[in-house]
Amino acid sequence: MSRARAVQRAGSVNCALAVAGVGLLGLTACAAEESEERITVYAAASLQEVYEEIGELYTEETGTEVEFSFAGSADLLAQLEQGAPADALVTADTLTMSRAQEADLVSESPQIFAANTLVLATPAGNPADITGVEDLEREDVVSVLCAEQVPCGALSAELTAAAGVEPAPASEENSVTDVLGKIRSGEADAGLVYATDAQAAGDEVETIEIDDAEDHLNHYPGAVLDAADSPEAASEFLAFLAMPEVEEVLAEAGFRTADGETHGED
Amino acid sequence: MVKTEGKRTGQDRAGRSRAARCRTGRPRAPRGPLAPSGVPRWLLLPAAGGALLVLLPVAAMFLQVSWSDLPSLLTSEPAVDALLLSLRTAAVATLLCLLLGVPLATVLAQARFRGVSLLRGLVLLPLVLPPVVGGIALLTVFGRQGLLGGTLELLGLQIAYSTAAVVLAQTFVSLPFLVVTAETALRDLDPQMVEAAVMDGAGRSTVLRTVAIPLILPSLISGVILAFARALGEFGATIAFAGSMQGVTRTLPLEIYLQRETDPQAAVALSLLLVLLALLVIGLTGLRRERP
């Protein structure tokens, strides 16, 4: 689903600089004169908050307007296969990206822009006294996980298997946000969610770090789509995603770098 | 549509019951309600558009499905579990609709107290609400943190994440279908039939049992079929309230939604199964309508 236009219209770099501090009136007047470039980026739902921020940064710096469409992996892929117009794609796992390659949507080799880890989340106050993944086996614990068919579920299964734990979830949800929703509302005692989602939930959930979580990373690859209208601008935007200042924004939101390092916390 | 159904099965304009009409033989109907004027030609284009809008997507699905893989896709363990769970829960939900809906319809049809029309409107709420809202509403009552959640937990009952939650969600969304059909039929009852029964000394329950229910039976069957179909297709309230677990809460629509993530072909195959079930249901109502 295409969610809210991420950024307002703006002119080119010069224009943006000229009107910095002048305010909206100047900006609008200026934007009208400039030939403006605009790209459409299809991105994984978990990137929404942080990419909207990055999109604004990018527009400020280059004047290129970035319009995002955020959705789950399967939806993104289905929409692109049906010919949705987009310039770049950033998915929440490498599997979806390789499917995009198989479907001849992407021919350039994708680049990893961020990674995510899983954490245990409990409702505020941790009512079931969860201390680690082994508690997911406890019969008195109502746990919810992502279904194995979705990326977070595949990663959860990999992580629990490596820990030698056989979880007995009450429900297998279709997305991380569904898992988080059940924990937030207290309908579940524990669940595995991405570190970034747990962080975004703030005080409503308690987060328990998992040992060796960094061994089980979820990567976010991005690439320019073959059918892009503005492949060069899209390529420039992807390059921007790898800039140190952007990686800082990503780190603040709880994302890790491609090799699993936490960034900017030292 | 529901309303005309009720009228049709109740009595015709002359006040004769369906049974009476059968005995004398159906009067030779003029061809169509607009006869002999007929349908204006310009109407055909939008009419065809409407029909295509419904038929084309369903037909396209038949074209897209990979028939060779169909048997294996439909007999996979998750698919079979989902189908059986769907049939089981929808059957129980329909029974609950019948047990709760007919009394409710009777009270609504008969009641003359102030606010009855408001109550009637409220009972119809699940028809207009997005099902996911129904699911959230059910959570606020039966969820672990819900109004009754604590009490239920003390009794050792946990409804959330159980098959019972699926049935509750399905009953919630299906009930109005049964209530509307039954109530409309009851309101169209021939007062003379009831009067005759009372003159014969029949009490309230006897009137209901021997006169009202038999007369509204055709509408009731329509209502039951509609409720069953709605329960079978239930998705939003179920996923919001009951969760999704193979064999416990993951009904066919939820399985389709999940399969979409990894295996669109399997999702199409399962969708086809649901379409066939729906066609069967429509066929049942259609047959019933054709019969005099």
Side-chain angles (χ1 to χ4, degrees):
Chain A
M1 157 193 2
S2 89
R3 191 74 189 262
R5 288 257 300 274
V7 284
Q8 295 295 318
R9 277 160 187 267
S12 72
V13 186
N14 295 340
C15 178
L17 287 176
V19 297
V22 175
L24 202 65
L25 260 178
L27 192 72
T28 323
C30 200
E33 297 164 10
E34 298 293 327
S35 65
E36 54 182 51
E37 189 138 30
R38 179 208 285 209
I39 55 168
T40 304
V41 177
Y42 269 47
S46 50
L47 294 168
Q48 180 159 356
E49 275 178 43
V50 71
Y51 267 30
E52 279 178 355
E53 192 184 334
I54 292 171
E56 269 171 49
L57 276 177
Y58 187 67
T59 308
E60 269 172 36
E61 245 177 63
T62 64
T64 301
E65 186 187 336
V66 190
E67 200 164 331
F68 289 107
S69 177
F70 296 103
S73 315
D75 285 324
L76 288 177
L77 204 57
Q79 287 168 21
L80 290 172
E81 277 179 330
Q82 302 299 325
D87 298 295
L89 170 70
V90 183
T91 63
D93 64 337
T94 41
L95 187 68
T96 307
M97 186 54 86
S98 37
R99 272 200 219 131
Q101 288 174 299
E102 280 164 29
D104 294 327
L105 294 167
V106 170
S107 53
E108 72 168 23
S109 56
Q111 194 186 337
I112 308 284
F113 293 105
N116 219 334
T117 51
L118 289 174
V119 293
L120 260 173
T122 75
N126 192 359
D129 289 320
I130 306 293
T131 56
V133 270
E134 57 283 355
D135 287 321
L136 295 177
E137 283 182 334
R138 269 164 54 192
E139 262 178 34
D140 61 322
V141 169
V142 175
S143 63
V144 283
L145 300 177
C146 285
E148 274 196 51
Q149 285 87 337
V150 293
C152 59
L155 194 63
S156 301
E158 183 192 309
L159 184 143
T160 47
V165 173
E166 281 179 37
S171 179
E172 294 170 346
E173 305 288 324
N174 279 49
S175 75
V176 184
T177 38
D178 291 334
V179 173
L180 201 61
K182 290 221 154 55
I183 293 166
R184 266 181 168 166
S185 62
E187 290 299 325
D189 299 321
L192 290 171
V193 299
Y194 289 132
T196 53
D197 294 289
Q199 186 177 322
D203 294 339
E204 283 182 74
V205 300
E206 268 177 41
T207 303
I208 298 156
E209 302 275 340
I210 301 167
D211 298 336
D212 306 324
E214 64 277 6
D215 293 342
H216 308 283
L217 288 177
N218 192 49
H219 290 108
Y220 290 80
V224 175
L225 291 157
D226 290 358
D229 280 333
S230 322
E232 278 167 33
S235 179
E236 275 167 30
F237 175 73
L238 290 182
F240 180 72
L241 286 178
M243 305 265 279
E245 53 187 298
V246 171
E247 290 201 324
E248 225 164 87
V249 177
L250 284 166
E252 259 168 52
F255 286 94
R256 296 187 179 223
T257 55
D259 51 11
E261 297 296 314
T262 48
H263 214 266
E265 276 177 19
D266 36 24
Chain B
M1 169 241 160
V2 171
K3 193 159 175 102
T4 42
E5 169 68 6
K7 280 229 192 298
R8 184 201 304 250
T9 49
Q11 55 192 133
D12 62 16
R13 208 176 297 160
R16 290 176 304 164
S17 72
R18 174 184 259 269
R21 208 168 53 209
C22 288
R23 253 175 270 123
T24 54
R26 199 185 278 254
R28 185 116 193 117
R31 284 207 232 116
L34 294 182
S37 153
V39 178
R41 272 169 203 230
W42 57 266
L43 214 77
L44 293 175
L45 196 65
L52 277 179
L53 184 66
V54 176
L55 295 178
L56 203 57
V58 179
M61 213 159 61
F62 276 86
L63 293 178
Q64 219 210 352
V65 75
S66 70
W67 294 98
S68 53
D69 297 336
L70 200 61
S72 65
L73 289 175
L74 293 183
T75 52
S76 74
E77 200 195 307
V80 172
D81 277 0
L83 175 65
L84 292 180
L85 182 70
S86 270
L87 291 174
R88 228 169 49 223
T89 50
V92 178
T94 309
L95 190 68
L96 269 178
C97 283
L98 203 56
L99 292 177
L100 303 175
V102 173
L104 184 55
T106 313
V107 171
L108 286 178
Q110 188 61 29
R112 292 291 175 268
F113 58 86
R114 280 162 68 98
V116 68
S117 50
L118 182 70
L119 180 63
R120 187 176 295 128
L122 290 178
V123 169
L124 296 188
L125 213 49
L127 277 184
V128 251
L129 277 183
V132 64
V133 175
I136 291 171
L138 285 167
L139 260 183
T140 58
V141 179
F142 298 105
R144 291 175 79 211
Q145 307 296 323
L147 221 51
L148 302 178
T151 321
L152 290 168
E153 208 148 337
L154 281 180
L155 295 170
L157 288 173
Q158 194 190 310
I159 295 200
Y161 308 116
S162 71
T163 308
V166 178
V167 172
L168 266 180
Q170 291 176 341
T171 310
F172 180 85
V173 297
S174 312
L175 193 59
F177 285 90
L178 201 99
V179 173
V180 172
T181 19
E183 198 206 336
T184 314
L186 280 169
R187 286 167 159 269
D188 290 340
L189 266 188
D190 186 352
Q192 289 176 347
M193 302 285 279
V194 180
E195 267 166 40
V198 173
M199 297 243 278
D200 284 345
R204 292 179 184 191
S205 301
T206 317
V207 168
L208 189 68
R209 207 182 60 239
T210 60
V211 180
I213 299 291
L215 282 176
I216 67 161
L217 200 59
S219 301
L220 218 49
I221 296 174
S222 292
V224 163
I225 293 175
L226 280 176
F228 181 75
R230 180 64 190 85
L232 206 57
E234 208 321 286
F235 172 76
T238 311
I239 201 159
F241 174 49
S244 173
M245 194 71 205
Q246 186 182 334
V248 185
T249 50
R250 191 174 294 151
T251 54
L252 206 47
L254 271 66
E255 176 70 21
I256 292 171
Y257 188 57
L258 183 59
Q259 284 300 338
R260 238 177 93 259
E261 297 284 344
T262 44
D263 192 351
Q265 268 302 324
V268 172
L270 290 173
S271 303
L272 210 61
L273 186 62
L274 213 48
V275 168
L276 289 177
L277 280 173
L279 286 177
L280 194 70
V281 168
I282 295 173
L284 282 177
T285 22
L287 275 183
R288 233 190 37 63
R289 219 174 273 168
E290 294 300 315
R291 235 182 284 142

